[in-house]
Amino acid sequence: MVTIKVNNLIDFVADVFSHAESSPEEARRIATYLTTANLTGHDSHGVIRVPVYVRWKKTGNVVPNQTAEIVVDTPSLAVVDGRFGYGQTVAPFAVKTGIEKCRKAGLAAVALRNAGHIGRIGDWAEMAAAEGLVSVHFVNAAGSLLVAPFGGVEKRLSTAPYCVGIPRAGQDPIVLDFATSIVAEGKVLVASRGGKKLPNGALIDADGTLSEEPSVLYGPYTPDGPRDHTRGTGAIRAFGEHKGSGLAFICELLGGALTGTGATSGGRRFANGMLSFYIDPKVVDTSNYFDGEITRYADFIRATKPVAGVDQVLIPGDPERKTRTERTANGVPLPDDTWAAIVNTAREVGVSEVSIQRATS
């Protein structure tokens, strides 16, 4: 395990993407969002994605320095085409569009289609919450067949994230952000590169055998080689049996089909689709009841007597706040295999050895 200081990690990852044809502004934006995912404990959506992103750029699946296009524009609704730009560029544009419309109308919807990987969806809920807005996000990943629906063994769904953000007066927002699979694909990636092991039975093989071995999803791989989910014989399982599978199906229809990205299927270009709703609590809650009631209810939940082995019952966002505090102070821990893969990618795009050494100083 290596531990990298936060600013060093952002600088280094920005250097990688600058060498991969992104503008300095885009490179730093990608680096900052990826590192923020690590800071919150979502390593699956953090800098481990660097080799994947660069590979996608080389194959033309993602386009550097792309400008998103608003193709439908009404007072309360917009459709934004990301034109396969980096998600860290086109998703903030879509969210900003939703925020601006919601400020005027009190309620807004934005459909983002054809975006590169948009990373941790909680970033976009936090962006809206910073402006005092509630947001709800349905997301899919077209071309990313990873998850078996309940009762099946074949890949038919993406990990189909769902996210809700709720602003708090003078406090961090409440953010619920999860894949509708037992684990996100990035967590399988982390496990395959020497990180945290998968929960028992997170994967299912073609014969119905439950497994937690990443090779079930990726097939055979070398420690620093690429991971390709099309080579594995198995799939990730949906969480919560029929409930998670059903929610994933809805994310595919709303985040994928309705946005124009398309519900996921094999053999097509990767793209994230996201359908987002924005609500201004000040318009709904004219008596200023909402925030006080959140405080009362959050305290009520946290005061629940915990089961044996649990220190305290938590609400969404509590684990991320704790991890962010620890890693901001101490640095971001990365498994050796993960760091080696990132360094190899840096060398491939021409990052200097001095820059690599500086990252770990």
Side-chain angles (χ1 to χ4, degrees), residues 176-341:
L176 175 70
D177 176 17
F178 57 76
T180 50
S181 49
I182 290 178
V183 292
E185 187 267 335
K187 293 190 185 302
V188 187
L189 181 63
V190 168
S192 78
R193 295 201 183 278
K196 184 178 179 181
K197 294 185 180 300
L198 298 175
N200 291 338
L203 307 177
I204 186 167
D205 214 336
D207 61 0
T209 302
L210 302 186
S211 177
E212 46 285 342
E213 292 298 326
S215 58
V216 168
L217 184 67
Y218 296 130
Y221 55 81
T222 59
D224 59 352
R227 307 294 190 259
D228 184 349
H229 62 79
T230 66
R231 296 181 180 178
T233 56
I236 308 172
R237 295 171 64 210
F239 83 86
E241 299 185 328
H242 62 286
K243 297 178 182 179
S245 184
L247 181 56
F249 183 65
I250 296 302
C251 286
E252 291 286 354
L253 298 185
L254 296 182
L258 182 59
T259 64
T261 304
T264 196
S265 60
R268 60 152 291 170
R269 188 176 186 175
F270 177 92
N272 273 143
M274 179 168 69
L275 181 67
S276 303
F277 298 96
Y278 301 90
I279 304 167
D280 189 344
K282 293 183 177 65
V283 176
V284 178
D285 178 35
T286 56
S287 61
N288 296 319
Y289 174 76
F290 184 49
D291 196 65
E293 182 65 358
I294 292 174
T295 298
R296 182 199 69 80
Y297 196 62
D299 290 345
F300 181 59
I301 294 297
R302 288 189 178 112
T304 308
K305 181 180 178 180
V307 300
V310 173
D311 294 331
Q312 183 188 6
V313 174
L314 304 176
I315 65 169
D318 283 347
E320 288 83 355
R321 274 185 287 276
K322 182 175 183 293
T323 303
R324 190 192 297 259
T325 298
E326 292 173 351
R327 292 186 174 184
T328 298
N330 302 321
V332 174
L334 299 171
D336 290 338
D337 287 352
T338 297
W339 181 240

Side-chain angles (χ1 to χ4, degrees), residues 35-302:
T35 302
T36 298
N38 288 104
L39 285 178
T40 59
H42 292 267
D43 296 329
S44 59
H45 289 67
V47 296
I48 196 170
R49 296 280 178 170
V50 170
V52 179
Y53 282 16
V54 171
R55 186 168 72 248
W56 281 344
K57 182 264 168 188
K58 289 180 177 178
T59 58
N61 281 311
V62 67
V63 181
N65 309 313
Q66 188 62 285
T67 300
E69 178 185 6
I70 297 178
V71 295
V72 174
D73 192 7
T74 79
S76 61
L77 184 145
V79 178
V80 176
D81 194 324
R83 301 168 66 201
F84 300 97
Y86 276 108
Q88 291 77 11
T89 292
V90 301
F93 175 85
V95 176
K96 183 180 179 182
T97 300
I99 290 169
E100 291 173 350
K101 289 185 180 296
C102 187
R103 281 175 173 164
K104 296 175 181 177
L107 175 68
V110 175
L112 171 64
R113 68 190 187 199
N114 299 331
H117 188 260
I118 60 177
R120 184 178 76 98
I121 312 305
D123 283 329
W124 318 125
E126 289 172 0
M127 184 176 171
E131 301 296 327
L133 304 181
V134 172
S135 64
V136 182
H137 309 266
F138 297 87
V139 183
N140 91 315
S144 185
L145 285 173
L146 292 164
V147 180
F150 176 66
V153 297
E154 295 178 309
K155 304 179 184 82
R156 290 290 185 271
L157 302 160
S158 68
T159 55
Y162 172 77
C163 180
V164 177
I166 300 173
R168 300 297 317 282
Q171 300 182 51
D172 290 335
I174 294 171
V175 176
L176 175 70
D177 176 17
F178 57 76
T180 50
S181 49
I182 290 178
V183 292
E185 187 267 335
K187 293 190 185 302
V188 187
L189 181 63
V190 168
S192 78
R193 295 201 183 278
K196 184 178 179 181
K197 294 185 180 300
L198 298 175
N200 291 338
L203 307 177
I204 186 167
D205 214 336
D207 61 0
T209 302
L210 302 186
S211 177
E212 46 285 342
E213 292 298 326
S215 58
V216 168
L217 184 67
Y218 296 130
Y221 55 81
T222 59
D224 59 352
R227 307 294 190 259
D228 184 349
H229 62 79
T230 66
R231 296 181 180 178
T233 56
I236 308 172
R237 295 171 64 210
F239 83 86
E241 299 185 328
H242 62 286
K243 297 178 182 179
S245 184
L247 181 56
F249 183 65
I250 296 302
C251 286
E252 291 286 354
L253 298 185
L254 296 182
L258 182 59
T259 64
T261 304
T264 196
S265 60
R268 60 152 291 170
R269 188 176 186 175
F270 177 92
N272 273 143
M274 179 168 69
L275 181 67
S276 303
F277 298 96
Y278 301 90
I279 304 167
D280 189 344
K282 293 183 177 65
V283 176
V284 178
D285 178 35
T286 56
S287 61
N288 296 319
Y289 174 76
F290 184 49
D291 196 65
E293 182 65 358
I294 292 174
T295 298
R296 182 199 69 80
Y297 196 62
D299 290 345
F300 181 59
I301 294 297
R302 288 189 178 112

